[in-house]
Amino acid sequence: MRRLALVLWVGAASLLVVIARAYGADPSLEDALRGLTSEDERAVDESAARIVASPNASSALPALEALCDERLRASPDGSLFYTDEKGQVRRAITGAVAAAPADAKAVEMNNALRRVVLPLVARLRLGSPDVNVRLAAASELAKRGGADGAPLLRAAFEREKDRGVRDAIAVALARMDLSSAERATKLEALEVLRKLGDGSLKADLAPLAQDSDAAVRGAALAALGSIEGRERVVSLVGDLVHGVSLASVLLFAALGLAITFGLMGVINMAHGEMLMIGAYTTYCVQLLFEKYAPGAFGAYLFVAVPLAFAVTTFVGIGLERAVIRHLYGRQLETLLATWGISLILIQTVRLVFGAQNVSVANPQWLAGGVEVAHGLVLPYSRIAVVVFVVVVALAVWALLSHTKLGLLVRAVTQNRAMAACLGVPTSRVDMWIFGLGCGIAGLGGVALSQLGNVGPELGQGYIIDSFMVVVLGGVGRLAGSVAAALGLGIINKLLEPFAGAVLGKIAILLLVILFIQRRPQGLFALKGRVET
Amino acid sequence: MGKTIVALAFCAALAALPGCEKNETKPAEPAASASGAAAAAPAPAKTDTGGPIKVGILHSLSGTMAISETSLKDVALMAIDEINAAGGVLGRKIEPIVVDPASNWPLFAEKARDLIQNQKVAVTFGCWTSVSRKSVLPVFEELNGLLFYPVQYEGEESSFNVFYTGAAPNQQAIPAVEYLMSKEGGGAKRFVLLGTDYVYPRTTNKILRYFLHSKGITDDDIMEKYTPFGHSDYQTIVAEMKKFSGGKRTAIISTINGDSNVPFYKELGNQGIKAEDPPVVAFSVGEEELRGIDTKPLVGHLAAWNYFMSIDNAENKSFIAKWRAYVKSKGLAGGDKRVTNDPMEATYIGIQMWAHAVEQAHSTDVDAVRQAVGYQKVKAPSGFEIQMDAANHHLHKPVFIGEIKSDGQFKVVWKTPGPIRAQAWSPFIPESAKKVADWTYPWACGNCTEPKFSPGGGVLAKAP
């Protein structure tokens, strides 16, 4: 019944178009836009074709972009409205500022429609003044554009000045030319793809590699070979980059522990919970920004970083004063006590925030990534974490080696009795340094909240890895922790493509065990006679 | 797998035999007396006492699965409250006994034994992961308990003592893959099977691989990958998936379970994998899981379920309204952000079916209730009247495929015209295709290739 009604509706609409043509009027673009939202596939395709054919197609662009972002609304009488970037409601096509009727409904988007609309938007965007927009449009057309877009692309290629965009358009054109009947065109296209093609073209090239024409076959094989060569380089570089990124996460989780366990010798099983508290602080700051300063939402991390540091330092100092200082030198008891504290902290958080994970949104400037090569995207959030951990590690190093507190800390860790004799307030130094270790874990929590889950059990997933990094690096050595994190991260990522994530993890554990067997003191051993 | 379990249960039942002689067990039907496990074990609940009927709720309230299972406990208590408010069952109130197996699989079995033997519950509603179900299964079979299991799972099982109110693979995974291969689903030619490393994803992917083979897709076009529970670094896998696609239409089928989904989807968003190509279809991501995720980068990715909160009909409206009112009156954590999802609907249906069956059987005796649960019908929030299959103990369910919207809800893009019957044993796995799950006469077994009884009344085969 519904289908019949649709067919009738489409029929009526096309009749109207015919009438409009007969009277010399431009077929309404808005009508075609409406057609896109139809549930009938053919009507959608027809409407898309009509928009492409229209000489004023570009006036439909803002509405189409709005459709992709679900900012387009339709009133019951069929007129379309969109909300532009500034929140201004405008009429589709004309762009005139208008008030949408209250009963206007948001036009829903789905994947089938996206597959029609995105190439359409890409075509219209080829004329954009922004280089990046043109580049994205050309890549989209290279992936999905139909052959009928060729003249448009050729025109764009002629007037294009930016090299990157020219290359992308050349690839899109070459892909269309692969199915050309002309042998010369085909060979030319293959040559272009050999130079510029990427992995997404392999499926198009595969049939040509079995072509009956030897020249075409050879060119196709050459193109495939050069594409695969590029892919190998990209994936090796990718593994290294991913390794560094994993290392930064490991280091963040372990850096605080390198201080509390490494320097002070406290087996702090509640270390993971400091990460968790840091992450929950980020969550709370985010909530406050959402509520009281939605305009400055992007800046919430800058508040979350010092606050998370302060909160976890405070918790750490409290912990040290209340429990840990009574247990110095009794490692097993410390282990049990901190394990109990970790359970208490987890359950407390669960009672306050619920057992569910909470959602920490990336600020806009951390979403997405930069595409270094085809298939290798560096997400901004990962880059930020790497930079952040480098800064924090340098700060910790500077603190330990260039400040008075650092001097006292090193004195206490190397020889507590002697330091005390010389008048160092060992108890207070312990308190501050434990607080610092926890505070750094809190910073780690802020970083982790940008990458993964924030839930009561967040810390549990990192505690083993943290101990592994510290032990492997050599207890008491910051540089060791850095080297161990880097080594573990990169080896893990190099293994993962061959062995899979599960086996990779097992292999890493085995390697660590073997290494510790050979070198129980870790990568960087403390020299001298003090640490016994 | 199923064979071992039945064998185990049988051994356990044999061991229990001598101790059972003084129990007066009344076999309710030939099938029951035929199954050694069922007839030999004591009936846990008596019918003639006037006190409240005890009902077990066996869901993890702490540990990794607390995230998903807590809301099942809540909705079960809501359903029980609702039944009690309407006068209870057989004029008696239902008393829920909530225990916390703490995401610890062996503890599930201990708690189940405690519920049946010491608490004498008439029925238990519980479990989420397949590994927890496999852990309690021998206990329920040994003690002749009754379990309602509310979560979609990998199939390849049918127990006399379990009613499965979640989906079997043919009610979720197979239709989803068929949709992805269709034109409107994007016409996928290559498939990435990505899952967490345990029994549910591995078995589901095995079935899917056989299914894809039957559709002419070769192993070259299938990539299978597993990650450990709680994995949080998906950089390499996402990069590999991009490379694997190589320009062919690719779809990603995710059986990632638990909170690994957040880093996975975040990585997809950051690496620019768009929903229109290739889409990810997930079998373990629902409204509740999306609550912990920033959904903007996920818009358009798919999930296949038998119920979505966004389904528009009177039953669902009243279900959601009841849930909202319950959350508010009990002051549950999460407050007005709490959502309903598929396993919650399945729990709700299961409790209603059990209550109806008790009324019909005039007894809480497990054997009598089991007879009555088959053929029970409930107007479900999914908008269909759905029925319990007396033969294989699975629910007939409709299938919906939804696209994730920016508000964390799903927009239904495809659905079956009506409920479809579960296939406990997958016809696509050669060794399972022959097996029959049928607890009615003359089959009376969940895992055999020949009926146990001849139509003349004699016993054909020994118990499996």
Side-chain angles (χ1 to χ4, degrees):
Chain A
M1 202 55 213
R2 196 165 180 192
R3 182 135 271 188
L4 186 71
L6 266 172
V7 170
L8 281 178
W9 189 85
V10 170
S14 32
L15 197 69
L16 272 175
V17 172
V18 170
I19 293 170
R21 280 224 177 95
Y23 283 86
D26 196 23
S28 156
L29 269 171
E30 190 168 2
D31 192 46
L33 268 180
R34 253 194 305 281
L36 282 179
T37 61
S38 146
E39 285 189 21
D40 184 55
E41 262 177 57
R42 262 193 321 194
V44 170
D45 290 344
E46 256 168 43
S47 310
R50 266 166 56 205
I51 293 176
V52 171
S54 161
N56 309 323
S58 54
S59 60
L61 184 58
L64 285 171
E65 285 171 338
L67 177 61
C68 291
D69 303 343
E70 302 203 303
R71 286 183 281 118
L72 191 70
R73 280 181 295 165
S75 69
D77 67 348
S79 39
L80 297 169
F81 300 87
Y82 67 89
T83 319
D84 69 5
E85 281 77 10
K86 294 187 189 79
Q88 185 74 54
V89 179
R90 288 172 188 277
R91 193 67 200 269
I93 314 298
T94 60
V97 175
D103 51 356
K105 266 190 164 167
V107 177
E108 286 198 336
M109 194 63 180
N110 60 47
N111 287 335
L113 189 52
R114 264 185 212 107
R115 279 189 280 266
V116 175
V117 174
L118 285 178
L120 203 60
V121 171
R123 278 185 193 196
L124 299 178
R125 276 182 178 167
L126 273 181
S128 157
D130 184 345
V131 174
N132 291 328
V133 172
R134 287 204 304 275
L135 185 62
S139 328
E140 169 72 28
L141 287 175
K143 214 163 62 182
R144 235 194 304 268
D148 56 329
L152 194 78
L153 275 170
R154 258 181 253 283
F157 186 73
E158 293 308 321
R159 66 168 185 267
E160 185 58 62
K161 294 199 174 59
D162 183 81
R163 214 176 131 230
V165 184
R166 270 180 84 94
D167 285 356
I169 298 177
V171 170
L173 281 169
R175 194 181 136 248
M176 289 168 190
D177 286 343
L178 284 182
S179 46
S180 150
E182 300 267 332
R183 182 160 171 270
T185 320
K186 227 188 244 186
L187 285 174
E188 214 171 288
L190 283 169
E191 177 58 22
V192 171
L193 292 185
R194 190 182 67 77
K195 279 198 213 122
L196 303 170
D198 60 43
S200 67
L201 295 153
K202 283 202 294 196
D204 295 301
L205 288 171
L208 288 179
Q210 273 133 24
D211 201 89
S212 52
D213 185 334
V216 171
R217 197 163 59 227
L221 283 174
L224 272 175
S226 95
I227 286 174
E228 272 162 15
R230 274 199 290 277
E231 271 191 337
R232 266 193 296 279
V233 174
V234 165
S235 74
L236 186 69
V237 173
D239 285 340
L240 287 177
V241 171
H242 294 158
V244 170
S245 153
L246 176 63
S248 70
V249 171
L250 286 176
L251 186 58
F252 240 138
L255 203 55
L257 197 73
I259 293 171
T260 53
F261 176 53
L263 294 181
M264 299 176 67
V266 175
I267 300 186
N268 182 13
M269 294 304 281
H271 172 73
E273 279 52 58
M274 298 300 148
L275 293 169
M276 186 255 297
I277 291 172
Y280 268 96
T281 312
T282 316
Y283 169 68
C284 292
V285 171
Q286 178 210 266
L287 279 191
L288 289 176
F289 265 77
E290 246 169 29
K291 199 157 179 197
Y292 297 109
F297 184 73
Y300 84 85
L301 273 182
F302 298 105
V303 178
V305 166
L307 199 65
F309 185 78
V311 169
T312 42
T313 306
F314 182 74
V315 173
I317 288 178
L319 206 68
E320 205 269 347
R321 285 291 97 179
V323 183
I324 290 170
R325 76 179 160 130
H326 304 294
L327 299 170
Y328 279 130
R330 289 184 282 171
Q331 290 207 322
L332 281 182
E333 279 151 79
T334 324
L335 186 143
L336 286 179
T338 49
W339 172 247
I341 291 166
S342 108
L343 293 181
I344 292 171
L345 289 175
I346 292 177
Q347 200 56 38
T348 312
V349 168
R350 202 180 273 141
L351 286 176
V352 176
F353 294 96
Q356 271 282 352
N357 288 349
V358 294
S359 132
V360 176
N362 294 111
Q364 201 55 43
W365 52 276
L366 275 184
V370 49
E371 182 156 19
V372 216
H374 176 77
L376 179 59
V377 178
L378 295 185
Y380 294 129
S381 53
R382 299 242 173 218
I383 301 175
V385 170
V386 173
V387 172
F388 190 30
V389 80
V390 168
V391 169
V392 172
L394 283 177
V396 170
W397 170 79
L399 183 85
L400 285 180
S401 53
H402 290 287
T403 65
K404 189 168 174 223
L405 178 67
L407 187 70
L408 296 182
V409 168
R410 280 179 293 142
V412 172
T413 48
Q414 283 180 12
N415 195 327
R416 177 175 295 270
M418 183 66 82
C421 287
L422 291 172
V424 177
T426 53
S427 165
R428 210 177 318 147
V429 169
D430 283 338
M431 179 185 89
W432 283 115
I433 198 68
F434 192 85
L436 175 70
C438 291
I440 289 169
L443 293 181
V446 180
L448 293 178
S449 75
Q450 296 302 307
L451 298 179
N453 287 304
V454 178
E457 277 116 21
L458 169 96
Q460 299 286 299
Y462 289 101
I463 188 81
I464 308 242
D465 286 341
S466 317
F467 271 105
M468 202 157 75
V469 167
V470 175
V471 172
L472 183 67
V475 174
R477 275 287 181 254
L478 270 186
S481 295
V482 175
L486 212 54
L488 283 179
I490 291 176
I491 293 177
N492 196 337
K493 284 297 165 188
L494 286 179
L495 278 176
E496 205 182 301
F498 308 104
V502 183
L503 274 180
K505 201 145 196 170
I506 296 172
I508 284 283
L509 276 172
L510 281 178
L511 281 178
V512 169
I513 290 171
L514 286 178
F515 185 83
I516 295 291
Q517 284 290 316
R518 299 280 308 161
R519 230 183 121 81
Q521 67 276 45
L523 282 173
F524 290 64
L526 272 176
K527 289 188 195 75
R529 60 202 151 79
V530 279
E531 192 68 9
T532 38
Chain B
M1 199 62 188
K3 226 179 222 166
T4 10
I5 299 250
V6 176
L8 271 177
F10 191 63
C11 295
L14 278 186
L17 263 177
C20 293
E21 279 155 27
K22 46 187 175 296
N23 280 305
E24 293 163 88
T25 312
K26 186 181 63 185
E29 39 143 356
S33 55
S35 157
K46 292 276 171 278
T47 56
D48 47 352
T49 48
I53 302 171
K54 286 186 180 176
V55 160
I57 315 275
L58 183 66
H59 282 300
S60 302
L61 308 179
S62 53
T64 44
M65 291 312 295
I67 287 167
S68 302
E69 291 193 63
T70 308
S71 53
L72 296 197
K73 183 259 303 176
D74 292 336
V75 84
L77 294 183
M78 173 189 103
I80 289 171
D81 270 10
E82 193 190 347
I83 293 170
N84 283 340
V89 181
L90 301 177
R92 294 158 63 188
K93 293 272 181 235
I94 302 177
E95 182 191 336
I97 312 279
V98 179
V99 291
D100 176 17
S103 311
N104 174 344
W105 320 133
L107 195 58
F108 267 89
E110 274 176 48
K111 293 281 180 191
R113 185 173 290 277
D114 178 58
L115 280 175
I116 302 173
Q117 274 185 332
N118 302 336
Q119 306 281 356
K120 309 251 183 270
V121 296
V123 62
T124 303
F125 300 93
C127 297
W128 179 293
T129 58
S130 288
V131 47
S132 67
R133 190 190 67 255
K134 295 277 188 204
S135 161
V136 300
L137 203 56
V139 177
F140 278 93
E141 291 184 344
E142 178 199 330
L143 303 175
N144 194 26
L146 193 58
L147 172 70
F148 278 76
Y149 175 65
V151 183
Q152 43 85 19
Y153 81 120
E154 69 279 4
E156 307 298 291
E157 187 183 297
S158 172
S159 168
F160 194 45
N161 298 83
V162 182
F163 283 97
Y164 305 81
T165 56
N170 74 310
Q171 293 170 315
Q172 189 193 26
I174 302 268
V177 174
E178 275 175 335
Y179 171 77
L180 289 172
M181 293 169 87
S182 72
K183 184 174 177 281
E184 54 175 338
K189 299 274 187 290
R190 268 195 169 166
F191 292 87
V192 179
L193 308 179
L194 179 65
T196 306
D197 202 2
Y198 76 110
V199 54
Y200 162 66
R202 288 224 176 233
T203 316
T204 305
N205 286 342
K206 184 176 166 193
I207 295 171
L208 288 181
R209 193 177 272 270
Y210 277 115
F211 173 72
L212 289 171
H213 286 173
S214 79
K215 293 282 174 186
I217 287 175
T218 58
D219 281 335
D220 291 343
D221 287 328
I222 304 174
M223 175 170 119
E224 203 171 329
K225 283 271 166 191
Y226 295 97
T227 55
F229 259 112
H231 192 66
S232 61
D233 191 331
Y234 281 92
Q235 301 177 82
T236 313
I237 286 181
V238 171
E240 265 181 83
M241 289 187 324
K242 272 182 157 176
K243 197 175 148 197
F244 174 74
S245 148
K248 275 198 183 182
R249 287 269 167 90
T250 309
I252 300 157
I253 296 168
S254 157
T255 38
I256 296 177
N257 227 306
D259 47 14
S260 288
N261 277 303
V262 182
F264 172 60
Y265 280 111
K266 272 195 179 170
E267 197 64 45
L268 284 181
N270 284 340
Q271 296 220 21
I273 289 197
K274 303 261 173 53
E276 63 275 4
D277 192 29
V280 177
V281 59
F283 300 151
S284 301
V285 175
E287 292 85 347
E288 188 75 9
E289 285 73 20
L290 290 182
R291 233 171 22 103
I293 310 185
D294 174 26
T295 42
K296 270 175 233 94
L298 273 60
V299 170
H301 286 301
L302 306 163
W305 287 107
N306 312 99
Y307 164 85
F308 284 117
M309 188 179 179
S310 62
I311 290 171
D312 190 21
N313 63 56
E315 269 78 29
N316 194 25
K317 277 204 187 94
S318 99
F319 179 54
I320 295 169
K322 273 184 236 164
W323 171 242
R324 292 228 161 104
Y326 182 81
V327 167
K328 205 170 171 198
S329 70
K330 299 281 169 185
L332 299 182
D336 51 1
K337 284 192 190 144
R338 292 292 286 264
V339 289
T340 58
N341 67 5
D342 178 287
M344 284 166 69
E345 189 227 13
T347 301
Y348 187 69
I349 294 172
I351 292 178
Q352 285 190 323
M353 283 194 165
W354 173 80
H356 293 170
V358 170
E359 287 285 359
Q360 231 168 52
H362 267 286
S363 159
T364 57
D365 180 77
V366 168
D367 292 320
V369 172
R370 173 168 38 224
Q371 281 291 82
V373 173
Y375 305 116
Q376 279 301 337
K377 283 183 183 165
V378 162
K379 264 286 210 183
S382 63
F384 292 91
E385 185 176 61
I386 59 180
Q387 187 186 351
M388 177 56 80
D389 197 283
N392 65 17
H393 283 192
H394 286 65
L395 216 52
H396 295 212
K397 307 195 88 168
V399 187
F400 299 90
I401 292 173
E403 281 179 11
I404 297 174
K405 295 196 296 182
S406 48
D407 60 355
Q409 291 288 326
F410 289 86
K411 172 185 156 65
V412 174
V413 290
W414 182 90
K415 61 181 176 189
T416 50
I420 52 178
R421 183 172 188 260
Q423 289 165 339
W425 295 96
S426 172
F428 296 103
I429 300 183
E431 58 265 34
S432 301
K434 305 186 282 280
K435 288 185 183 158
V436 172
D438 190 340
W439 291 106
T440 55
Y441 179 81
W443 281 86
C445 76
N447 171 24
C448 51
T449 49
E450 265 180 74
K452 285 203 290 194
F453 300 93
S454 76
V459 176
L460 278 181
K462 290 197 179 76

